[in-house]
Amino acid sequence: MLFLAHSNINGNSLDGNVNVANAFNHYFTNIGSELASKIPSCGRDFNTYFSRSFNSSFGLFHTDQTELLSICNNLKVKTSTGYDNISSNVVKESICNIVDPLMHIINSSFRTGIVPSCLKIAKVVPIYKSG
């Protein structure tokens, strides 16, 4: 259990584990958008940097069972989970049962360019080291 009864964050003195945890949560959930808002706009469209059109220069090939099984077999066995609360250990144990629907989802995303919203979410857990 983590005990942070008193902490100083951004010059503000905070008391209590809940207040400190909430301050860390606020910081880590907002840092990306805050930093992005500080990037100045150059006012130019990105296409002006290219000397010619690259409409068909990028492509994705459909995946197959062999590729997915290979990737899954190379996953590190961990009990920690992502946003979906599924560990790599569970995926490795069940891949033979889910490889076909997983392949369908991935290939549909490649074909349509649409990625399900739930696959765009990351679970970020800050780990206190020291100091």
Side-chain angles (χ1 to χ4, degrees), residues 84-101:
D84 56 8
N85 290 320
I86 300 172
S87 68
S88 61
N89 188 32
V90 170
V91 173
K92 286 183 82 131
E93 292 292 327
S94 62
I95 190 62
C96 291
N97 297 314
I98 64 170
V99 69
D100 286 330

Side-chain angles (χ1 to χ4, degrees), residues 69-91:
L69 290 170
S70 173
I71 290 168
C72 186
N73 287 331
N74 290 320
L75 289 174
K76 292 180 182 177
V77 177
K78 293 185 174 183
T79 56
S80 58
T81 65
Y83 177 78
D84 56 8
N85 290 320
I86 300 172
S87 68
S88 61
N89 188 32
V90 170
V91 173

